[in-house]
Amino acid sequence: MGDGNSRGISGGNNNSNSNRPEWLQQYDLIGKIGEGTYGLVFLAKIKSNRSKSIAIKKFKQSKDGDGVSPTAIREIMLLREINHENVVKLVNVHINHVDMSLYLAFDYAEHDLYEIIRHHRDKVNQAINPYTVKALLWQLLNGLNYLHSNWIIHRDLKPSNILVMGEGEEQGVVKIADFGLARIYQAPLKPLSENGVVVTIWYRAPELLLGAKHYTSAVVGCIFAELLTLKPLFQGQEVKATPNPFQLDQLDKIFRVLGHPTQEKWPTLVNLPHWHSDLQHIQGHKYDSTGLYSVVHLSPKSPAYDLLSKMLEYVALSF
Ligand SMILES: Nc1ncnc2c1ncn2[C@@H]1O[C@H](COP(=O)(O)OP(=O)(O)OP(=O)(O)O)[C@@H](O)[C@H]1O
């Protein structure tokens, strides 16, 4: 692998073997494969078993340079407890004592839903086979069911965090990844946005946009629709740097498809923090739904539409 990537992972300026941390010597580094908000991800092979590919996530140093970041600690604590075929497997944790940088080694998954969607949209210009959509969705729900049964909520589900195994024994198996924002919840639920706003806005449910503190599973409906149409269902323009979760354009996109949020459909709507303060525009506008089924090109009588529309129903949670 090239100098840049070696420097990236060893944290030093000299990439000779002797200057590499000892733990790194068990791997052959192939190259950088991803970069997120919190980490850089590298592909590596295990020297003793070159058929095994590993993804090594190097956490970016916390802003204050104050040792290991809380995101990293949270991700490790959760991942150490998790063991499910549809959740990414943490195989090792390494620490570089020189700069206290932290590395997580995962089983490598060659694909993710973002890339699969983009491939079908831009390269082959063809919908994903409905049986494949069904298999992907079932596995995603299976993994989520496991997490939720163990009181874990992911909070950052999006196509790029849903990995799919490439060639090998587990080919086609979905692996939910990136637990940096995940939380363990207990009854009574703690407000989930207390440390700032989470979830990319395209997958943010309307009750969150309106200031509710708890999450529903509508995010899976957004991902399901995107697998069917190859584009985000609600692609709102984000207004950056707002201290609260309210995003007018995102709500506008949702209401255009799902219809006007009436008191009848959503009785607790008027209690949500932003309903009165920020929504004059939406309250004065009558949204005529174009019909979700026409947006996702499904027959309104199909089981797929039945499932999708239930995932995307306005839900009256009590707060
Ligand atoms: N096990 C893996 N196998 C293959 N690729 C992976 C693996 N884990 C992560 N990646 C790739 O690296 C990218 C970034 O990883 P990850 O999402 O964990 O980092 P992050 O900094 O927490 O990202 P985000 O900004 O989405 O929160 C992923 O979108 C994916 O493309």
Side-chain angles (χ1 to χ4, degrees):
M1 140 178 167
D3 287 359
N5 286 332
S6 292
R7 269 195 288 276
I9 204 160
S10 64
N13 288 326
N14 183 332
N15 71 351
S16 71
N17 264 352
S18 59
N19 271 349
R20 286 182 168 190
E22 210 174 299
W23 63 265
L24 190 53
Q25 303 198 17
Q26 65 187 288
Y27 301 110
D28 277 332
L29 292 174
I30 310 296
K32 187 172 127 187
I33 46 173
E35 177 164 4
T37 320
Y38 302 100
L40 296 170
V41 182
F42 299 85
L43 170 62
K45 297 263 182 201
I46 297 182
K47 280 183 183 159
S48 58
N49 175 8
R50 284 200 50 90
S51 64
K52 184 118 179 93
S53 296
I54 295 289
I56 300 180
K57 177 167 172 174
K58 175 187 179 178
F59 280 92
K60 293 176 183 169
Q61 296 289 77
S62 62
K63 280 197 192 92
D64 46 16
D66 213 8
V68 178
S69 77
T71 318
I73 306 273
R74 209 157 34 225
E75 185 160 356
I76 296 168
M77 303 279 283
L78 281 171
L79 284 165
R80 276 163 49 108
E81 303 292 326
I82 295 173
N83 179 16
H84 188 266
E85 59 194 347
N86 296 123
V87 177
V88 73
K89 186 160 183 260
L90 178 67
V91 288
N92 231 325
V93 178
H94 304 286
I95 190 152
N96 184 354
H97 293 285
V98 177
D99 60 358
M100 293 302 280
S101 51
L102 198 68
Y103 302 83
L104 303 192
F106 296 96
D107 276 349
Y108 171 68
E110 204 172 327
H111 313 287
D112 61 56
L113 292 192
Y114 175 79
E115 171 222 306
I116 292 171
I117 290 167
R118 205 183 43 182
H119 173 81
H120 281 78
R121 188 187 58 220
D122 302 341
K123 297 242 169 70
V124 293
N125 193 19
Q126 198 179 331
I128 304 174
N129 177 313
Y131 295 104
T132 307
V133 173
K134 189 173 174 182
L136 293 170
L137 184 67
W138 189 91
Q139 295 181 78
L140 171 58
L141 291 170
N142 194 34
L144 282 177
N145 182 44
Y146 166 82
L147 293 175
H148 295 175
S149 311
N150 286 286
W151 303 94
I152 295 167
I153 31 175
H154 185 284
R155 309 202 312 161
D156 196 19
L157 279 182
K158 55 186 175 185
S160 59
N161 284 338
I162 302 164
L163 310 179
V164 179
M165 297 299 279
E167 256 174 57
E169 274 172 20
E170 286 196 289
Q171 185 165 21
V173 175
V174 166
K175 305 278 177 184
I176 300 171
D178 191 1
F179 285 76
L181 292 177
R183 289 284 184 286
I184 294 181
Y185 66 95
Q186 298 143 329
L189 284 175
K190 289 211 186 97
L192 292 170
S193 55
E194 62 193 2
N195 63 334
V197 177
V198 297
V199 187
T200 312
I201 72 162
W202 294 352
Y203 307 94
R204 192 179 294 169
E207 63 274 17
L208 280 187
L209 293 161
L210 290 170
K213 303 283 186 224
H214 305 305
Y215 294 72
T216 69
S217 56
V219 57
V220 183
C222 295
I223 295 169
F224 181 15
E226 190 164 339
L227 285 169
L228 294 168
T229 63
L230 307 179
K231 55 176 201 246
L233 180 59
F234 307 125
Q235 200 166 3
Q237 291 286 333
E238 183 162 14
V239 178
K240 292 269 183 205
T242 92
N244 63 46
F246 180 76
Q247 294 280 344
L248 182 60
D249 190 55
Q250 186 65 28
L251 281 163
D252 186 69
K253 295 275 174 357
I254 295 171
F255 295 153
R256 273 172 205 274
V257 175
L258 300 185
H260 201 83
T262 58
Q263 274 249 298
E264 191 193 353
K265 282 193 239 168
W266 192 352
T268 51
L269 177 67
V270 290
N271 303 333
L272 292 172
H274 296 284
W275 177 248
H276 293 291
S277 52
D278 294 300
L279 275 188
Q280 288 86 354
H281 163 82
I282 284 188
Q283 289 181 48
H285 187 287
K286 185 87 191 101
Y287 287 93
D288 283 324
S289 165
T290 35
L292 174 62
Y293 60 89
S294 64
V295 176
V296 293
H297 316 298
L298 286 173
S299 152
K301 295 206 172 94
S302 62
Y305 178 70
D306 183 54
L307 176 61
L308 179 65
S309 58
K310 284 177 178 152
M311 284 175 165
L312 292 173
E313 257 166 23
Y314 295 128
V315 212
L317 296 173
S318 46
F319 302 97

